[in-house]
Amino acid sequence: MKKLINISESLLFAAAALALWEYGAHAGWWQIFLFPSPSSIFAYLQEAAEDGTLWSALLVTIHRLFLGYFIGVLAGVPLGLLSAKLNLVKNTIGLLGLGFQGLPSVCWVPLAVLWFGQEESAILFVVIMGTVWSVMLSTENGLSNVPPIYARAARTMGAGAAYTLLFVTLPASAPFVVSGMKQGWAFAWRSLMSAEIYVTILTGFGLGQLLHFGRELNAMEQVIGVMLIIILVGLLSDKLIFSPLERSLHKRWGTNIN
C-alpha cells in the first residue's frame, strides 16, 4: 500500500511538472527553440517510433552495450580475482585499474578512433574500457571483505584451495561483485553514449548518433527526446535487473542494511 502511495505521488508530481512546463513554453517564458514544449518532444518521439528510426537506433545501441559490457565483465572478474589473491597483480594491474576508473570515458574515444578507425570495434573498445576496471575493482573489494572464517571453515572440512575460492569465497563476495557490475553497467552506458556521439559509423546509427544529429540540426526536441529515452533505459535496467538481484544477494548473505 505504501509503495502504491509513493508511485501515485511520483506520478502526480510528474504530471504537474509537465503541465507547468507546457504552459511555460506556450506562455513565452523562454525561447521555445532552446527549450521545446513536452508536446513537441513527444511528437518527435511518436514520429521516430512510427517510421522505425527510434527502434532501429535503440536496438543498435542495446546490442553494442550488451556486447561491450559482457566482454568487460568477462575480463574484469578474473582480473579482480587475481588482484585480490596476488600482491604483484594488485600493485600493477590493480593500481592501473584504479587510475583508469577515474579517467572520463570520452578520453578513450580519440585513442579508439586512431587505433580502430571509424568502425564498430572503436565503439566496442570504449565500452569495454568503461566497464572492465569498475568490475575488476569491485571484485577485488568483494573478495577482500569476505570474513576469513568462511575460508577457514571450508578448509577445516577438507575443502581445497580451488574449491574454497569457487564455491565459498566467490559466492560470499557476490553482493559486492554485483554492485560493481551495476556500477560497471552505468559506466558502460556513459561510455557508449560518448563513443556514439563522436564516432560516426554508417553501418548503424545508435541513440548517441541521433543525439548528435539533433544538435547538428538545431532540433532541440530531438535532443531532449533522445535524452529521455536514454534515461528511461537506464532506469529500467536498474529497476528490473540489478536492484532485485542486488537485494536478493544481500538478503541471502545477510549483508543488507535495511
Side-chain angles (χ1 to χ4, degrees), residues 127-151:
V127 177
I128 293 172
M129 289 297 102
T131 306
V132 63
W133 309 116
S134 177
V135 174
M136 183 195 76
L137 293 173
S138 65
T139 302
E140 177 193 341
N141 181 61
L143 289 171
S144 301
N145 281 281
V146 173
I149 193 173
Y150 290 179

PDB file of all heavy atoms in Angstrom, residues 127-151:
ATOM      1  N   VAL A 127      33.475   1.034 -24.765  1.00  0.00           N
ATOM      2  CA  VAL A 127      32.543   0.447 -23.801  1.00  0.00           C
ATOM      3  C   VAL A 127      33.263  -0.518 -22.864  1.00  0.00           C
ATOM      4  O   VAL A 127      33.026  -0.533 -21.650  1.00  0.00           O
ATOM      5  CB  VAL A 127      31.395  -0.274 -24.536  1.00  0.00           C
ATOM      6  CG1 VAL A 127      30.454  -0.948 -23.536  1.00  0.00           C
ATOM      7  CG2 VAL A 127      30.608   0.708 -25.389  1.00  0.00           C
ATOM      8  N   ILE A 128      34.157  -1.325 -23.422  1.00  0.00           N
ATOM      9  CA  ILE A 128      34.909  -2.276 -22.596  1.00  0.00           C
ATOM     10  C   ILE A 128      35.771  -1.534 -21.584  1.00  0.00           C
ATOM     11  O   ILE A 128      35.827  -1.902 -20.400  1.00  0.00           O
ATOM     12  CB  ILE A 128      35.779  -3.182 -23.489  1.00  0.00           C
ATOM     13  CG1 ILE A 128      34.891  -4.083 -24.339  1.00  0.00           C
ATOM     14  CG2 ILE A 128      36.734  -4.024 -22.639  1.00  0.00           C
ATOM     15  CD1 ILE A 128      35.652  -4.874 -25.383  1.00  0.00           C
ATOM     16  N   MET A 129      36.442  -0.483 -22.019  1.00  0.00           N
ATOM     17  CA  MET A 129      37.282   0.288 -21.106  1.00  0.00           C
ATOM     18  C   MET A 129      36.458   0.963 -20.007  1.00  0.00           C
ATOM     19  O   MET A 129      36.941   1.191 -18.902  1.00  0.00           O
ATOM     20  CB  MET A 129      38.066   1.351 -21.887  1.00  0.00           C
ATOM     21  CG  MET A 129      39.178   0.814 -22.765  1.00  0.00           C
ATOM     22  SD  MET A 129      40.495  -0.009 -21.831  1.00  0.00           S
ATOM     23  CE  MET A 129      40.088  -1.727 -22.117  1.00  0.00           C
ATOM     24  N   GLY A 130      35.218   1.270 -20.315  1.00  0.00           N
ATOM     25  CA  GLY A 130      34.359   1.870 -19.299  1.00  0.00           C
ATOM     26  C   GLY A 130      33.807   0.869 -18.304  1.00  0.00           C
ATOM     27  O   GLY A 130      33.310   1.246 -17.240  1.00  0.00           O
ATOM     28  N   THR A 131      33.905  -0.423 -18.646  1.00  0.00           N
ATOM     29  CA  THR A 131      33.322  -1.475 -17.807  1.00  0.00           C
ATOM     30  C   THR A 131      34.348  -2.222 -16.975  1.00  0.00           C
ATOM     31  O   THR A 131      34.165  -2.447 -15.772  1.00  0.00           O
ATOM     32  CB  THR A 131      32.566  -2.491 -18.688  1.00  0.00           C
ATOM     33  OG1 THR A 131      31.615  -1.828 -19.499  1.00  0.00           O
ATOM     34  CG2 THR A 131      31.872  -3.533 -17.828  1.00  0.00           C
ATOM     35  N   VAL A 132      35.435  -2.628 -17.602  1.00  0.00           N
ATOM     36  CA  VAL A 132      36.329  -3.632 -17.030  1.00  0.00           C
ATOM     37  C   VAL A 132      36.950  -3.191 -15.705  1.00  0.00           C
ATOM     38  O   VAL A 132      37.050  -3.994 -14.761  1.00  0.00           O
ATOM     39  CB  VAL A 132      37.429  -4.022 -18.057  1.00  0.00           C
ATOM     40  CG1 VAL A 132      38.311  -2.830 -18.400  1.00  0.00           C
ATOM     41  CG2 VAL A 132      38.257  -5.182 -17.537  1.00  0.00           C
ATOM     42  N   TRP A 133      37.341  -1.937 -15.600  1.00  0.00           N
ATOM     43  CA  TRP A 133      38.058  -1.506 -14.393  1.00  0.00           C
ATOM     44  C   TRP A 133      37.140  -1.447 -13.184  1.00  0.00           C
ATOM     45  O   TRP A 133      37.532  -1.800 -12.068  1.00  0.00           O
ATOM     46  CB  TRP A 133      38.734  -0.163 -14.637  1.00  0.00           C
ATOM     47  CG  TRP A 133      39.552  -0.156 -15.883  1.00  0.00           C
ATOM     48  CD1 TRP A 133      39.367   0.595 -17.003  1.00  0.00           C
ATOM     49  CD2 TRP A 133      40.698  -0.985 -16.155  1.00  0.00           C
ATOM     50  NE1 TRP A 133      40.305   0.294 -17.949  1.00  0.00           N
ATOM     51  CE2 TRP A 133      41.143  -0.669 -17.464  1.00  0.00           C
ATOM     52  CE3 TRP A 133      41.377  -1.959 -15.433  1.00  0.00           C
ATOM     53  CZ2 TRP A 133      42.235  -1.289 -18.048  1.00  0.00           C
ATOM     54  CZ3 TRP A 133      42.472  -2.590 -16.017  1.00  0.00           C
ATOM     55  CH2 TRP A 133      42.892  -2.251 -17.309  1.00  0.00           C
ATOM     56  N   SER A 134      35.906  -0.995 -13.390  1.00  0.00           N
ATOM     57  CA  SER A 134      34.957  -0.942 -12.278  1.00  0.00           C
ATOM     58  C   SER A 134      34.635  -2.344 -11.775  1.00  0.00           C
ATOM     59  O   SER A 134      34.574  -2.589 -10.557  1.00  0.00           O
ATOM     60  CB  SER A 134      33.673  -0.236 -12.732  1.00  0.00           C
ATOM     61  OG  SER A 134      32.714  -0.232 -11.711  1.00  0.00           O
ATOM     62  N   VAL A 135      34.427  -3.281 -12.693  1.00  0.00           N
ATOM     63  CA  VAL A 135      34.127  -4.659 -12.309  1.00  0.00           C
ATOM     64  C   VAL A 135      35.325  -5.292 -11.607  1.00  0.00           C
ATOM     65  O   VAL A 135      35.178  -6.001 -10.608  1.00  0.00           O
ATOM     66  CB  VAL A 135      33.719  -5.482 -13.546  1.00  0.00           C
ATOM     67  CG1 VAL A 135      33.552  -6.951 -13.186  1.00  0.00           C
ATOM     68  CG2 VAL A 135      32.433  -4.942 -14.149  1.00  0.00           C
ATOM     69  N   MET A 136      36.521  -5.029 -12.116  1.00  0.00           N
ATOM     70  CA  MET A 136      37.722  -5.584 -11.509  1.00  0.00           C
ATOM     71  C   MET A 136      37.893  -5.098 -10.075  1.00  0.00           C
ATOM     72  O   MET A 136      38.136  -5.893  -9.150  1.00  0.00           O
ATOM     73  CB  MET A 136      38.958  -5.191 -12.328  1.00  0.00           C
ATOM     74  CG  MET A 136      40.252  -5.797 -11.808  1.00  0.00           C
ATOM     75  SD  MET A 136      41.728  -5.006 -12.473  1.00  0.00           S
ATOM     76  CE  MET A 136      41.745  -3.500 -11.512  1.00  0.00           C
ATOM     77  N   LEU A 137      37.752  -3.804  -9.853  1.00  0.00           N
ATOM     78  CA  LEU A 137      37.948  -3.244  -8.516  1.00  0.00           C
ATOM     79  C   LEU A 137      36.872  -3.710  -7.541  1.00  0.00           C
ATOM     80  O   LEU A 137      37.155  -3.959  -6.369  1.00  0.00           O
ATOM     81  CB  LEU A 137      37.970  -1.718  -8.593  1.00  0.00           C
ATOM     82  CG  LEU A 137      39.166  -1.114  -9.335  1.00  0.00           C
ATOM     83  CD1 LEU A 137      38.990   0.389  -9.504  1.00  0.00           C
ATOM     84  CD2 LEU A 137      40.466  -1.403  -8.591  1.00  0.00           C
ATOM     85  N   SER A 138      35.646  -3.843  -8.017  1.00  0.00           N
ATOM     86  CA  SER A 138      34.578  -4.309  -7.130  1.00  0.00           C
ATOM     87  C   SER A 138      34.763  -5.771  -6.765  1.00  0.00           C
ATOM     88  O   SER A 138      34.467  -6.180  -5.635  1.00  0.00           O
ATOM     89  CB  SER A 138      33.220  -4.098  -7.790  1.00  0.00           C
ATOM     90  OG  SER A 138      33.094  -4.907  -8.951  1.00  0.00           O
ATOM     91  N   THR A 139      35.238  -6.578  -7.714  1.00  0.00           N
ATOM     92  CA  THR A 139      35.505  -7.988  -7.417  1.00  0.00           C
ATOM     93  C   THR A 139      36.619  -8.107  -6.382  1.00  0.00           C
ATOM     94  O   THR A 139      36.524  -8.888  -5.420  1.00  0.00           O
ATOM     95  CB  THR A 139      35.896  -8.737  -8.696  1.00  0.00           C
ATOM     96  OG1 THR A 139      34.843  -8.613  -9.662  1.00  0.00           O
ATOM     97  CG2 THR A 139      36.138 -10.210  -8.408  1.00  0.00           C
ATOM     98  N   GLU A 140      37.667  -7.343  -6.570  1.00  0.00           N
ATOM     99  CA  GLU A 140      38.771  -7.339  -5.599  1.00  0.00           C
ATOM    100  C   GLU A 140      38.280  -6.893  -4.228  1.00  0.00           C
ATOM    101  O   GLU A 140      38.600  -7.513  -3.198  1.00  0.00           O
ATOM    102  CB  GLU A 140      39.878  -6.404  -6.087  1.00  0.00           C
ATOM    103  CG  GLU A 140      41.030  -6.265  -5.111  1.00  0.00           C
ATOM    104  CD  GLU A 140      41.953  -5.112  -5.447  1.00  0.00           C
ATOM    105  OE1 GLU A 140      41.931  -4.646  -6.607  1.00  0.00           O
ATOM    106  OE2 GLU A 140      42.695  -4.665  -4.555  1.00  0.00           O
ATOM    107  N   ASN A 141      37.478  -5.835  -4.193  1.00  0.00           N
ATOM    108  CA  ASN A 141      36.963  -5.326  -2.921  1.00  0.00           C
ATOM    109  C   ASN A 141      36.032  -6.339  -2.255  1.00  0.00           C
ATOM    110  O   ASN A 141      36.050  -6.520  -1.030  1.00  0.00           O
ATOM    111  CB  ASN A 141      36.225  -4.012  -3.166  1.00  0.00           C
ATOM    112  CG  ASN A 141      35.689  -3.407  -1.883  1.00  0.00           C
ATOM    113  OD1 ASN A 141      36.423  -3.078  -0.969  1.00  0.00           O
ATOM    114  ND2 ASN A 141      34.373  -3.265  -1.821  1.00  0.00           N
ATOM    115  N   GLY A 142      35.211  -7.015  -3.081  1.00  0.00           N
ATOM    116  CA  GLY A 142      34.295  -8.004  -2.542  1.00  0.00           C
ATOM    117  C   GLY A 142      35.017  -9.174  -1.897  1.00  0.00           C
ATOM    118  O   GLY A 142      34.668  -9.610  -0.793  1.00  0.00           O
ATOM    119  N   LEU A 143      36.042  -9.679  -2.578  1.00  0.00           N
ATOM    120  CA  LEU A 143      36.808 -10.791  -2.014  1.00  0.00           C
ATOM    121  C   LEU A 143      37.542 -10.372  -0.742  1.00  0.00           C
ATOM    122  O   LEU A 143      37.689 -11.161   0.191  1.00  0.00           O
ATOM    123  CB  LEU A 143      37.809 -11.306  -3.051  1.00  0.00           C
ATOM    124  CG  LEU A 143      37.196 -12.064  -4.237  1.00  0.00           C
ATOM    125  CD1 LEU A 143      38.252 -12.325  -5.293  1.00  0.00           C
ATOM    126  CD2 LEU A 143      36.591 -13.373  -3.775  1.00  0.00           C
ATOM    127  N   SER A 144      38.002  -9.140  -0.700  1.00  0.00           N
ATOM    128  CA  SER A 144      38.715  -8.655   0.481  1.00  0.00           C
ATOM    129  C   SER A 144      37.798  -8.488   1.683  1.00  0.00           C
ATOM    130  O   SER A 144      38.255  -8.523   2.830  1.00  0.00           O
ATOM    131  CB  SER A 144      39.398  -7.319   0.166  1.00  0.00           C
ATOM    132  OG  SER A 144      40.317  -7.455  -0.907  1.00  0.00           O
ATOM    133  N   ASN A 145      36.493  -8.308   1.437  1.00  0.00           N
ATOM    134  CA  ASN A 145      35.537  -8.086   2.523  1.00  0.00           C
ATOM    135  C   ASN A 145      34.846  -9.357   3.006  1.00  0.00           C
ATOM    136  O   ASN A 145      34.007  -9.290   3.909  1.00  0.00           O
ATOM    137  CB  ASN A 145      34.469  -7.067   2.085  1.00  0.00           C
ATOM    138  CG  ASN A 145      34.969  -5.636   2.160  1.00  0.00           C
ATOM    139  OD1 ASN A 145      35.029  -5.033   3.215  1.00  0.00           O
ATOM    140  ND2 ASN A 145      35.343  -5.093   1.017  1.00  0.00           N
ATOM    141  N   VAL A 146      35.160 -10.492   2.384  1.00  0.00           N
ATOM    142  CA  VAL A 146      34.578 -11.756   2.849  1.00  0.00           C
ATOM    143  C   VAL A 146      35.227 -12.136   4.182  1.00  0.00           C
ATOM    144  O   VAL A 146      36.462 -12.170   4.286  1.00  0.00           O
ATOM    145  CB  VAL A 146      34.804 -12.871   1.808  1.00  0.00           C
ATOM    146  CG1 VAL A 146      34.344 -14.219   2.371  1.00  0.00           C
ATOM    147  CG2 VAL A 146      34.050 -12.549   0.533  1.00  0.00           C
ATOM    148  N   PRO A 147      34.445 -12.423   5.215  1.00  0.00           N
ATOM    149  CA  PRO A 147      35.037 -12.821   6.516  1.00  0.00           C
ATOM    150  C   PRO A 147      35.965 -14.027   6.363  1.00  0.00           C
ATOM    151  O   PRO A 147      35.569 -15.032   5.757  1.00  0.00           O
ATOM    152  CB  PRO A 147      33.803 -13.170   7.369  1.00  0.00           C
ATOM    153  CG  PRO A 147      32.690 -12.385   6.760  1.00  0.00           C
ATOM    154  CD  PRO A 147      32.974 -12.345   5.293  1.00  0.00           C
ATOM    155  N   PRO A 148      37.183 -13.964   6.868  1.00  0.00           N
ATOM    156  CA  PRO A 148      38.135 -15.079   6.718  1.00  0.00           C
ATOM    157  C   PRO A 148      37.639 -16.384   7.318  1.00  0.00           C
ATOM    158  O   PRO A 148      38.088 -17.455   6.918  1.00  0.00           O
ATOM    159  CB  PRO A 148      39.374 -14.564   7.463  1.00  0.00           C
ATOM    160  CG  PRO A 148      39.232 -13.084   7.505  1.00  0.00           C
ATOM    161  CD  PRO A 148      37.760 -12.819   7.571  1.00  0.00           C
ATOM    162  N   ILE A 149      36.696 -16.305   8.252  1.00  0.00           N
ATOM    163  CA  ILE A 149      36.213 -17.520   8.906  1.00  0.00           C
ATOM    164  C   ILE A 149      35.517 -18.447   7.908  1.00  0.00           C
ATOM    165  O   ILE A 149      35.476 -19.670   8.103  1.00  0.00           O
ATOM    166  CB  ILE A 149      35.262 -17.163  10.075  1.00  0.00           C
ATOM    167  CG1 ILE A 149      35.013 -18.395  10.944  1.00  0.00           C
ATOM    168  CG2 ILE A 149      33.963 -16.573   9.563  1.00  0.00           C
ATOM    169  CD1 ILE A 149      34.236 -18.098  12.207  1.00  0.00           C
ATOM    170  N   TYR A 150      34.962 -17.893   6.815  1.00  0.00           N
ATOM    171  CA  TYR A 150      34.317 -18.723   5.801  1.00  0.00           C
ATOM    172  C   TYR A 150      35.332 -19.678   5.188  1.00  0.00           C
ATOM    173  O   TYR A 150      35.085 -20.879   5.057  1.00  0.00           O
ATOM    174  CB  TYR A 150      33.697 -17.864   4.706  1.00  0.00           C
ATOM    175  CG  TYR A 150      32.481 -17.058   5.112  1.00  0.00           C
ATOM    176  CD1 TYR A 150      31.849 -16.223   4.211  1.00  0.00           C
ATOM    177  CD2 TYR A 150      31.960 -17.135   6.404  1.00  0.00           C
ATOM    178  CE1 TYR A 150      30.738 -15.473   4.571  1.00  0.00           C
ATOM    179  CE2 TYR A 150      30.856 -16.406   6.783  1.00  0.00           C
ATOM    180  CZ  TYR A 150      30.245 -15.571   5.853  1.00  0.00           C
ATOM    181  OH  TYR A 150      29.140 -14.843   6.225  1.00  0.00           O
ATOM    182  N   ALA A 151      36.470 -19.127   4.773  1.00  0.00           N
ATOM    183  CA  ALA A 151      37.503 -19.948   4.143  1.00  0.00           C
ATOM    184  C   ALA A 151      38.099 -20.930   5.144  1.00  0.00           C
ATOM    185  O   ALA A 151      38.361 -22.097   4.804  1.00  0.00           O
ATOM    186  CB  ALA A 151      38.586 -19.058   3.546  1.00  0.00           C
TER     187      ALA A 151
END
